[in-house]
Amino acid sequence: MPTKPQTSLLIGAVGLVSVLWLLDLLSQGVDQLSGMGTFSLLGMVTLAGIAYWGRKPPLEAALPTPEATIEVVEQALDQTQQVLTQLQAEAPEFEEFSTQLATRISQLKADLDRQEISLTLMGGKGVGKSTLKAVLGADWSSPHPCKLLEALSLFVGEQANPVQLDAIATDLVLFLVQADLTQPEYQAIQDLAAQGQRLLVIFNKQDQYLPLQRSLLLNQIQARLQGIVAAADVVAIAAHPNPITVRRHQADGSVQEWLEPPAPQVGPLVAQLNAIVAQESRQLIVQTSYQQALALKAEAQSSLNQSRRQRALPIIERYQWVAAAATFANPVPALDLLAAAAISGQMVRELGAVYQLKFSLSQAQTVAGTLASLMLKLGLVEFSTQTLGSLLKSNSITYVAGGLIQGASSAYLTRLAGLSLIEYLQTLGINSQPEAIPQAGLQQILKRVFQQNQQRSALQALSQQFIERLRPQPSPTHLSPATPSLP
Amino acid sequence: MSPAPPPAESSSVTLPGVEPQDLQETDFQRARASLTQLLEWHRSYSLPLQADLQAQRDLFLALVNKLDQGVIQIATFGLVSRGKSAVLNALFGEPIFPTGPLNGVTQWPRSARWIPDSAGSFKVQFELIDTPGLDEIDGEAQAQIATTIARQADLILFVIAGELTTTEAEALRDLRTAQKPLLLVLNKMDLFPDFTQPLVHPLLREQPLQPLLSAEDVIMTAAEPMPTQVRVEWPDGRITEEWQASPPQVEQLQQRLLALLNQEGRSLLALNTLFQAQDAVIDSAQTVMDAQQPQAQTLTWKLSSIKAIVIALTPFLALDLIGAVVADLILIRGLAKLYNLPITRHQAGKLGQKLLLSGGLLMLGELGSSLFGGLNQLIEGVGMTSAMGGILSQATLAAYGSLVVGQSAKNYLKQGCTWGPLGPSTLIQTILNHLQPGTVLYRLQEELVQRLEPCQEPGLPEN
């Protein structure tokens, strides 16, 4: 993970301390808060937030794909259908998307019975994709209906992009190389294989090497791809060999010489293609459908998550203010109490409801307790309160400031807990029952959410909260964008 | 650096009737003199400081060596299996570097001296450096080594074969930002007969490279041509196969390299050497400044307090101002002496501004206090306190002015230390002014000037 927790901690601490410093400054002489102060407060915290905005979340690791069977595909499609139904029921704003999705699901179901196999030629620029396509089109009589396609050249242009499988959606990839593998080629083959794509690696233009070198190269490529592509699936060909010289010695001693274009050497490829098509055509189609079903499911799930998150965020924000108001009115001395106050079982229930999980009150309280203890364990509570403590001594408005800090911390912790819970609930399947949440998984999520929110919304939310608080009439249950109001 | 007077300021002007070769020779000799002087400069420091400067001195020695032997370092650069080693072998005419069909035959850089037959009267030879290829599987370390070497070389042979890949385009862009002179070698012309120089040169427009590479810097070679297959049909019906080798084709590259050597070999060498020396001089200055920090601080405090006292005691404005400027000048002089860095004209204007500021502050202080004193006089007659206040504020301002001047003198000395009469930056400037249109370096000129500190020395003529 590229994010360094220390740096985000540091930035968080700096942000909070600057908030406090400003508070301190304000409390010393200024009785009434001016618009200026409010602005700089917001500015400081926002800057700290923006400073660490620019980092991208790490890419999710590709899931290992099981061997696809018709049943597995149908199962995946069923699950997609369930997500779709859920989406239609919950999120009217995604109606158009839902209709599209339904069409695509039925399309995919129909595609399962198709006969034609699609083969796609891939590789760098100038490796002979078009030539091979023409040669195969002319010379190869497939025992099975096949469709030959040619992908755009890889490894050219401004920057290297990973190979997107769902953009290809093909049954068999013919990956062409013209020499020993380079790092980008190796990476692309590895990516394809990791995504469960069936592929043949073709060493084209072998006529550019001497016979001994050819077998050396073929062995080398096979050895490099060991464990990724089977040796039989790496073949050497020459789709369009360079002309050779023919020198004919006549009986009378004269010599004739001319250039002769040799026939394409694609025998090993044709043999392997025939074998694959004969034995695996059904499996290839199923595998492709499975990939597409998975992609579809992921798309549907992400829309559902997006919709639910939109509904869950206001809940968290509401509880954030409730927690802040409660702690402000009655600042608690101990950290564990603060954590407990921040996460209410009621919030867990309400969030669960958005995710179609019916928590009983006791279950919800268990979850809240787990979250609170995890936060304590990770030191998050300490972090958000302790850094501020030293600045509060001998201040005339210690009580108010203390309450503010505690309130802010409590709101912050509520937010963290709520977002973590959302993330966790998203990972659950569609028909899960509320059970005891596994601590380890939740701890990971909590850490990640903490780091993410260190940079973004949390600090802004915190500043907003302060502004709301510092206004003459605090409105704890209403969240409005921070506009400077005149006292 | 001993403050030797500049030999002739006019040498930076291309005189009509003077052969460019002679100019090159002069520049070359001056580069050598510059390095010798830098070594002397290092020797003038105390022994502990010399120990701190070891790395820079080693570099100077290596550079002197390189100039003495007249070795132009040419490094190959490019993807794996593009024929980098083969190109060098073909230049040598014998298989010095191992080659093979598999990637990564060259794992470590190797080099060999090459003295072309027709090198002529120039006492210059080539050191050809072979580097590992980019894009080898798990070959980040090798790519790193190759990049480091390419950055140090005087000239780069960028070897490609067939279509330009993303990695190659990126590497070319990087080298462009590093302002490296390079020749683009289209190798394996026997295998990629369609990939010709007239085709490739326009392609470079997409990479922002074309202005730096003239058409003649894109060269086609076949360093290790693939033997052609021959099927021999005998009268008795037997058919045998043989492989007919063809000779390497690198004459064009060879000629281009020799032409380059004749045209700008010495400039290429001198320039790269001086750029490396320039960086090392600035590093040295920084090292010295860090080491002498306490002494510099003592000196600044001492001089500024003396100045403050003198100013406080002197009753006349004009005398105050003169005294202030003299004191500041003494401070600059003292710092230069302490660090043993030359006082040059480079960015002297900025320092002058600070001097003016220092004087101006003092004047403001005087005016302010006399105004204040006048007011006080109006109200309660001669006020002792106000007179004291005026003197105190003058002294403070005087001391503050000195501190400001001391700080900017440090910057000035550090930036100016390469701009002495025989300093690397000065010589680079001279060489850049001497460049002939049509040379590789001439095309890089604009970019090279940028590398030469943001500001040019005032007074040097533009080419």
Side-chain angles (χ1 to χ4, degrees):
Chain A
M1 190 150 171
T3 325
K4 289 193 189 117
Q6 295 95 321
T7 38
S8 34
L9 267 176
L10 185 72
I11 285 294
V14 168
L16 283 175
V17 168
S18 11
V19 167
L20 240 230
W21 173 74
L22 273 165
L23 255 185
D24 200 45
L25 208 69
L26 291 170
S27 70
Q28 276 174 5
V30 191
D31 284 336
Q32 281 202 321
L33 290 167
S34 65
M36 258 307 261
T38 317
F39 269 131
S40 52
L41 186 72
L42 179 66
M44 286 287 261
V45 182
T46 316
L47 274 180
I50 288 171
Y52 264 65
W53 192 306
R55 285 179 292 181
K56 289 173 189 160
L59 283 171
E60 296 288 327
L63 293 168
T65 43
E67 187 72 2
T69 57
I70 291 275
E71 291 74 44
V72 176
V73 179
E74 277 168 351
Q75 205 183 337
L77 281 173
D78 280 348
Q79 284 168 357
T80 316
Q81 186 62 53
Q82 282 175 19
V83 177
L84 176 63
T85 319
Q86 202 69 43
L87 189 66
Q88 280 164 335
E90 284 182 35
E93 72 268 26
F94 281 101
E95 197 186 333
E96 200 179 323
F97 175 76
S98 305
T99 329
Q100 280 177 15
L101 206 62
T103 329
R104 281 162 68 189
I105 291 175
S106 48
Q107 175 79 42
L108 233 138
K109 274 185 181 152
D111 268 3
L112 259 177
D113 299 324
R114 79 192 143 99
Q115 288 302 308
E116 194 183 55
I117 303 174
S118 73
L119 306 146
T120 303
L121 294 144
M122 286 176 78
K125 202 172 175 192
V127 289
K129 295 185 291 295
S130 310
T131 316
L132 180 60
K133 190 181 167 197
V135 168
L136 281 182
D139 292 3
W140 179 42
S141 50
S142 167
H144 199 91
C146 283
K147 177 172 66 171
L148 272 176
L149 301 164
E150 188 185 335
L152 288 176
S153 295
L154 305 170
F155 325 124
V156 286
E158 286 293 300
Q159 55 193 172
N161 295 314
V163 185
Q164 290 296 332
L165 199 62
D166 46 341
I168 315 164
T170 189
D171 300 319
L172 181 63
V173 164
L174 307 181
F175 197 99
L176 272 78
V177 297
Q178 57 176 342
D180 195 359
L181 292 182
T182 60
Q183 177 70 31
E185 285 168 343
Y186 179 73
Q187 193 62 51
I189 292 173
Q190 213 177 20
D191 286 352
L192 284 171
Q195 293 172 73
Q197 175 66 53
R198 182 83 167 89
L199 79 164
L200 286 182
V201 176
I202 298 164
F203 166 36
N204 191 20
K205 305 197 189 179
Q206 63 158 337
D207 60 305
Q208 294 187 350
Y209 295 90
L210 297 173
L212 180 66
Q213 294 179 336
R214 292 175 196 171
S215 52
L216 197 65
L217 274 166
L218 185 61
N219 286 344
Q220 171 86 344
I221 296 172
Q222 284 170 341
R224 287 197 197 271
L225 293 176
Q226 202 169 24
I228 303 171
V229 178
D233 289 338
V234 183
V235 292
I237 62 162
H240 182 68
N242 278 332
I244 62 166
T245 314
V246 180
R247 190 179 300 147
R248 179 173 294 163
H249 293 264
Q250 306 285 10
D252 58 5
S254 65
V255 178
Q256 263 183 310
E257 213 178 85
W258 68 93
L259 283 177
E260 194 178 285
Q265 306 160 12
V266 289
L269 173 63
V270 167
Q272 186 64 12
L273 275 180
N274 282 338
I276 290 178
V277 166
Q279 291 160 22
E280 303 178 32
S281 56
R282 191 78 209 118
Q283 180 58 33
L284 286 177
I285 291 170
V286 170
Q287 181 70 29
T288 311
S289 306
Y290 180 54
Q291 293 296 345
Q292 285 174 304
L294 283 187
L296 214 55
K297 186 180 154 196
E299 212 177 314
Q301 188 70 52
S302 111
S303 300
L304 185 60
N305 285 344
Q306 198 187 330
S307 154
R308 284 174 170 179
R309 194 181 166 87
Q310 272 164 10
R311 277 172 288 143
L313 283 181
I315 300 179
I316 297 181
E317 267 152 22
R318 202 172 72 233
Y319 277 95
Q320 206 176 308
W321 296 113
V322 172
T327 335
F328 175 66
N330 183 16
V332 281
L335 296 177
D336 49 346
L337 282 177
L338 181 63
I343 306 139
S344 80
Q346 193 56 35
M347 179 178 78
V348 174
R349 284 189 80 182
E350 283 196 34
L351 286 179
V354 171
Y355 285 82
Q356 309 295 320
L357 285 172
K358 303 257 181 297
F359 284 110
S360 72
L361 193 58
S362 68
Q363 276 172 330
Q365 271 162 354
T366 319
V367 172
T370 313
L371 273 169
S373 70
L374 273 177
M375 283 183 150
L376 270 173
K377 231 194 266 176
L378 289 172
L380 308 187
V381 185
E382 207 173 338
F383 157 73
S384 45
T385 50
Q386 212 174 48
T387 38
L388 322 171
S390 63
L391 285 150
L392 287 175
K393 54 190 168 190
S394 74
N395 192 312
S396 55
I397 52 161
T398 303
Y399 174 80
V400 180
L404 279 178
I405 300 302
Q406 296 260 8
S409 301
S410 151
Y412 179 57
L413 294 173
T414 308
R415 188 171 183 81
L416 277 187
L419 291 175
S420 306
L421 196 61
I422 291 186
E423 296 260 323
Y424 173 74
L425 293 173
Q426 281 181 2
T427 62
L428 295 181
I430 200 143
N431 290 324
S432 306
Q433 291 304 313
E435 287 161 12
I437 289 183
Q439 285 228 1
L442 198 57
Q443 184 161 349
Q444 287 299 323
I445 293 174
L446 203 55
K447 265 189 195 166
R448 196 175 66 226
V449 170
F450 174 66
Q451 274 162 10
Q452 282 167 359
N453 284 275
Q454 205 56 56
Q455 310 137 19
R456 299 181 189 189
S457 44
L459 284 170
Q460 279 170 335
L462 200 63
S463 73
Q464 279 180 354
Q465 177 164 17
F466 268 116
I467 291 155
E468 293 285 327
R469 281 285 166 200
L470 294 170
R471 279 181 183 179
Q473 293 100 25
S475 47
T477 50
H478 174 65
L479 180 73
S480 66
T483 44
S485 61
L486 292 170
Chain B
M1 262 181 270
S2 59
E9 201 63 33
S10 62
S11 66
S12 54
V13 186
T14 313
L15 296 172
V18 178
E19 283 297 306
Q21 299 296 356
D22 297 345
L23 280 176
Q24 269 196 47
E25 188 56 37
T26 321
D27 291 342
F28 191 80
Q29 292 308 334
R30 290 180 75 194
R32 206 193 165 285
S34 171
L35 282 168
T36 324
Q37 206 186 45
L38 290 176
L39 280 168
E40 257 170 50
W41 167 54
H42 265 198
R43 268 196 290 277
S44 67
Y45 285 111
S46 64
L47 281 180
L49 251 177
Q50 282 194 39
D52 289 344
L53 296 171
Q54 181 73 40
Q56 284 88 359
R57 190 173 50 251
D58 286 350
L59 179 70
F60 291 149
L61 281 172
L63 292 177
V64 168
N65 233 335
K66 205 177 138 187
L67 284 183
D68 278 348
Q69 302 186 351
V71 182
I72 295 184
Q73 288 177 327
I74 302 179
T76 57
F77 198 63
L79 248 56
V80 273
S81 290
R82 292 301 191 263
K84 293 179 291 302
S85 305
V87 166
L88 295 188
N89 285 341
L91 283 175
F92 278 112
E94 51 184 311
I96 291 183
F97 304 109
T99 61
L102 301 185
N103 288 345
V105 173
T106 310
Q107 286 287 309
W108 300 102
R110 297 175 58 175
S111 73
R113 292 284 165 90
W114 179 50
I115 307 164
D117 306 329
S118 45
S121 58
F122 296 99
K123 284 171 250 142
V124 176
Q125 44 181 321
F126 291 120
E127 182 180 5
L128 301 181
I129 310 172
D130 195 21
T131 62
L134 311 179
D135 263 357
E136 191 188 332
I137 297 179
D138 295 330
E140 288 89 0
Q142 281 88 338
Q144 193 53 50
I145 293 171
T147 313
T148 312
I149 289 177
R151 292 273 166 132
Q152 286 164 1
D154 300 309
L155 179 72
I156 292 169
L157 297 184
F158 198 104
V159 183
I160 64 172
E163 296 287 348
L164 209 62
T165 69
T166 308
T167 314
E168 283 169 328
E170 259 171 30
L172 276 170
R173 272 200 297 274
D174 284 354
L175 290 175
R176 189 214 144 100
T177 14
Q179 294 113 18
K180 294 308 291 188
L182 65 90
L183 301 181
L184 191 63
V185 179
L186 313 181
N187 192 27
K188 306 196 186 183
M189 61 190 265
D190 56 321
L191 297 183
F192 302 98
D194 304 333
F195 205 65
T196 56
Q197 184 262 334
L199 175 89
V200 172
H201 192 239
L203 282 183
L204 297 173
R205 201 172 300 153
E206 288 164 34
Q207 329 298 328
L209 264 173
Q210 207 182 23
L212 302 188
L213 282 173
S214 73
E216 58 175 358
D217 292 340
V218 180
I219 300 154
M220 293 176 70
T221 61
E224 215 177 86
M226 164 77 190
T228 41
Q229 194 178 353
V230 183
R231 194 176 71 217
V232 189
E233 299 178 358
W234 300 98
D236 54 6
R238 273 185 311 131
I239 291 180
T240 56
E241 241 179 35
E242 34 183 81
W243 292 87
Q244 195 174 316
S246 34
Q249 299 173 44
V250 288
E251 297 79 21
Q252 209 192 339
L253 177 62
Q254 217 156 6
Q255 277 162 16
R256 183 73 191 99
L257 281 176
L258 286 178
L260 207 98
L261 165 75
N262 281 326
Q263 248 181 353
E264 48 185 329
R266 312 216 99 185
S267 302
L268 212 55
L269 190 52
L271 211 52
N272 195 23
T273 308
L274 287 171
F275 270 122
Q276 287 182 44
Q278 174 185 277
D279 294 348
V281 170
I282 293 174
D283 283 353
S284 306
Q286 186 62 53
T287 313
V288 171
M289 285 184 172
D290 291 348
Q292 306 281 61
Q293 178 67 16
Q295 287 94 317
Q297 222 153 25
T298 319
L299 181 73
T300 316
W301 276 112
K302 211 165 84 189
L303 279 174
S304 55
S305 26
I306 291 175
K307 178 182 166 190
I309 292 168
V310 171
I311 302 282
L313 294 182
T314 320
F316 305 109
L317 177 62
L319 275 184
D320 270 1
L321 282 181
I322 293 169
V325 170
V326 169
D328 285 346
L329 286 176
I330 292 176
L331 174 62
I332 296 169
R333 180 88 203 152
L335 283 175
K337 218 168 159 185
L338 174 68
Y339 295 139
N340 191 15
L341 293 174
I343 292 178
T344 61
R345 284 194 298 173
H346 181 67
Q347 302 225 326
K350 271 193 186 167
L351 191 60
Q353 282 170 10
K354 287 282 161 23
L355 272 174
L356 279 180
L357 181 76
S358 165
L361 266 178
L362 201 62
M363 197 139 93
L364 269 181
E366 303 246 346
L367 283 177
S369 63
S370 61
L371 192 68
F372 196 60
L375 274 177
N376 267 8
Q377 261 172 347
L378 267 184
I379 297 164
E380 34 176 304
V382 185
M384 194 58 200
T385 37
S386 80
M388 275 307 288
I391 288 169
L392 257 182
S393 73
Q394 277 176 35
T396 318
L397 283 174
Y400 175 71
S402 274
L403 292 182
V404 170
V405 168
Q407 192 52 48
S408 65
K410 268 198 209 167
N411 280 337
Y412 153 78
L413 287 172
K414 187 176 149 195
Q415 284 173 2
C417 61
T418 58
W419 284 96
L422 267 180
S425 306
T426 316
L427 295 186
I428 292 171
Q429 180 78 63
T430 315
I431 295 179
L432 289 181
N433 286 342
H434 287 172
L435 292 178
Q436 299 299 309
T439 58
V440 171
L441 282 172
Y442 187 79
R443 283 187 284 280
L444 281 171
Q445 192 181 25
E446 245 172 64
E447 322 238 331
L448 289 172
V449 170
Q450 285 169 13
R451 203 169 134 193
L452 191 74
E453 300 299 317
C455 292
Q456 293 183 16
E457 189 173 2
L460 268 177
E462 302 285 81
N463 198 20

